[in-house]
Structures are given as structure tokens and as C-alpha cells.
Amino acid sequence: MVQLAGFLALKDFPFVIEVPVRWRDLDAFRHVNNATFVTYLEIARTELWRKRFVCTDPMDIPFVIAGLNVEYKRPIKLNDTVRVGLRTTDICGSSFAFEYRIESEGQTAALAHSVQVCIRHESGRPVRVPESLRRDLSTLLVDTSSTDR
């Protein structure tokens, strides 16, 4: 199991967005369906690419999701304020990893980790993380050695 960033406060994440809870996000129990949490992670990644990496064409997003782990901590309700924090944890040869924290009303609702693999769209084959992307991703690395646990 991947160790998640449960010790990092949302303020320690270099990229944070607010995600509105929609009526359609709810399930029969009147809280956000667990699969929708994954959509919130996707929204965070998409907004990262739009706002920080200035991407406007979906074909400019050079990766696929190779792995995803979510630990659910508490339910999210319709009128809650939801914020998602994202940070880079690893940059390897053809892959990189993100950690996320989803907060609802200031409390941890979920922790997540994803691994992205860079690909060549034409072939679908893995390629090395481009140097320009490597530089951009490194701006999202957080030194956790001095963070209180």
C-alpha cells in the first residue's frame, strides 16, 4: 500500500482548487458517491494543466493514469465546501506521482495517490518525462522532512 500524505495540511500543498458539489454527485445516501471523489482528483489535474502549465488542447496532456489509490475518511454532502490539494511526490523516467488531499468543510474527506505515465499519443507507448514537464512538475514537490507529523 502507498503511504499517503495524511500529515500534510492543505495549506502545504502547492496547488489547491475549490470544487463545487453538484446535485448529480450525490448517491442514494445523500452524500457524494465514492467514485465522484476520483472525478474531483481529475478536476484538480485538469485545472493544474490549465492554470499552471497553460494547456488548452487535451492532446497536450502527455500522460495516462497507471495507478490510483484513494483512502476515504469522511462523507461529503451537497452544501459542503470542497477543496482539493495536489502535489508531486516522484518524478521518474517515464512516470510521475501525485498526492492529493480532499477537504470538506475544513476536514479531511479523502487522501489519494496517482501514478501517471507519459506516452506518445500516436503509439500509446511510454516515453521519458520531457525535460520541460520535469521542470514544471518539480515546482510542485514539497519538502516534507521539516513538516510535523
Side-chain angles (χ1 to χ4, degrees):
M1 169 160 274
V2 175
Q3 182 167 350
L4 300 179
F7 57 88
L8 281 182
L10 194 63
K11 69 177 179 54
D12 296 324
F13 281 79
F15 185 78
V16 179
I17 63 160
E18 192 166 305
V19 178
V21 178
R22 305 162 301 177
W23 181 263
R24 67 178 281 176
D25 295 345
L26 306 180
D27 61 18
F29 297 106
R30 296 188 200 149
H31 56 67
V32 172
N33 184 278
N34 63 337
T36 304
F37 282 60
V38 175
T39 300
Y40 293 169
L41 305 178
E42 178 185 23
I43 291 168
R45 285 191 307 274
T46 301
E47 289 305 303
L48 172 70
W49 247 253
R50 281 188 187 135
K51 293 178 179 176
R52 293 285 282 274
F53 301 163
V54 193
C55 171
T56 56
D57 183 347
M59 292 306 285
D60 290 339
I61 297 175
F63 64 83
V64 294
I65 303 297
L68 179 64
N69 182 41
V70 181
E71 287 183 14
Y72 300 96
K73 302 296 186 182
R74 71 182 295 271
I76 298 174
K77 297 189 171 119
L78 179 61
N79 294 317
D80 288 359
T81 299
V82 175
R83 298 179 75 211
V84 181
L86 179 154
R87 74 180 186 109
T88 302
T89 57
D90 291 304
I91 307 169
C92 300
S94 64
S95 66
F96 55 95
F98 287 147
E99 277 187 347
Y100 312 82
R101 181 183 198 99
I102 300 176
E103 284 193 358
S104 171
E105 297 302 306
Q107 296 184 342
T108 303
L111 302 172
H113 177 267
S114 65
V115 175
Q116 293 71 216
V117 174
C118 288
I119 61 161
R120 179 168 287 113
H121 284 290
E122 300 79 21
S123 66
R125 303 289 305 159
V127 296
R128 185 165 175 74
V129 176
E131 286 306 315
S132 60
L133 178 56
R134 202 173 280 277
R135 281 191 303 275
D136 289 341
L137 291 169
S138 68
T139 67
L140 300 168
L141 288 166
V142 175
D143 179 12
T144 59
S145 61
S146 62
T147 305
D148 292 335
R149 291 183 184 209

